[in-house]
Amino acid sequence: MDRYPKIEQLDLPPGSRLSSSYDRADFADAFSVDLPGNACHDAQSLARHIFARQPGWIPMLLNIRDMLVRPFGLKTAAELTHSEGDRISLFRVFERHDDEIVLGEDDTHLNFRVSVLVQPLSQGHRRLIVTTLVFYNRTLGRAYITLIAPFHRAVVRASLDRAQRLGWPPA
């Protein structure tokens, strides 16, 4: 039985601004959830809402991750959160549009991009799609993703689920 029945893993969305990079990505996935009719349809607001309403076990995982990666010289969550520039949580903003925001980070082991895309459905309803692309810069990037991919999927699903249960920001 699916733990998050309203969260769907799907093919990479062709309408995303990341679509031109799909064929170059070393790792990619996408998850979606239908938005209630009264939800905000602005991608930036939804991204802020998702990343602000994460389950309590996610910061614990980030602390463990930080302890493990620090010896390899990788950026920690605290370093990312307090980095200069336009950011949402620990993610740097690369592109901002009404229907999609592209976040991510570049590091020595890998670069990644996360798209938060809002697509119209029917009768005023919308679908929110979170897409992740990862590009390896060296062997450590491949090993890193192999280790964290199951946690990544759980984090995305749980974040979407919690945001949905706690209520989307109203339109």
Side-chain angles (χ1 to χ4, degrees):
M1 181 175 182
D2 192 353
R3 188 166 172 198
Y4 304 109
K6 296 176 183 172
I7 312 302
E8 179 184 356
Q9 186 166 6
L10 63 150
D11 293 334
L12 300 176
S16 172
R17 288 169 179 86
L18 293 180
S19 64
S20 64
S21 301
Y22 290 168
D23 61 337
R24 292 182 287 117
D26 296 301
F27 172 91
D29 64 19
F31 293 88
S32 73
V33 66
D34 291 347
L35 300 175
N38 66 339
C40 168
H41 298 152
D42 174 67
Q44 176 180 304
S45 297
L46 289 165
R48 286 189 189 286
H49 186 72
I50 290 167
F51 298 121
R53 294 198 179 225
Q54 293 186 320
W57 55 267
I58 294 175
M60 182 186 70
L61 276 180
L62 282 173
N63 287 336
I64 294 168
R65 175 222 174 256
D66 288 349
M67 287 187 301
L68 295 172
V69 303
R70 191 172 285 118
F72 297 100
L74 305 184
K75 296 175 185 176
T76 65
E79 291 169 332
L80 293 171
T81 301
H82 296 95
S83 294
E84 301 262 333
D86 190 8
R87 302 190 86 74
I88 292 181
S89 185
L90 52 96
F91 303 117
R92 185 171 122 199
V93 176
F94 283 88
E95 291 184 46
R96 188 186 310 266
H97 309 274
D98 289 342
D99 66 336
E100 184 175 27
I101 188 163
V102 177
L103 310 167
E105 194 60 52
D106 296 338
D107 206 342
T108 57
H109 64 312
L110 58 77
N111 301 338
F112 74 92
R113 299 296 179 266
V114 174
S115 160
V116 176
L117 173 67
V118 181
Q119 288 188 327
L121 289 174
S122 62
Q123 301 172 358
H125 291 271
R126 307 240 190 270
R127 172 168 282 176
L128 180 66
I129 303 171
V130 176
T131 303
T132 304
L133 301 182
V134 178
F135 308 91
Y136 305 144
N137 292 330
R138 57 185 186 165
T139 306
L140 180 58
R142 179 181 307 280
Y144 179 83
I145 290 301
T146 299
L147 289 173
I148 69 133
F151 299 104
H152 157 76
R153 289 183 195 97
V155 165
V156 172
R157 286 176 163 274
S159 297
L160 287 173
D161 180 71
R162 181 174 165 100
Q164 187 175 52
R165 283 186 296 109
L166 294 179
W168 296 96

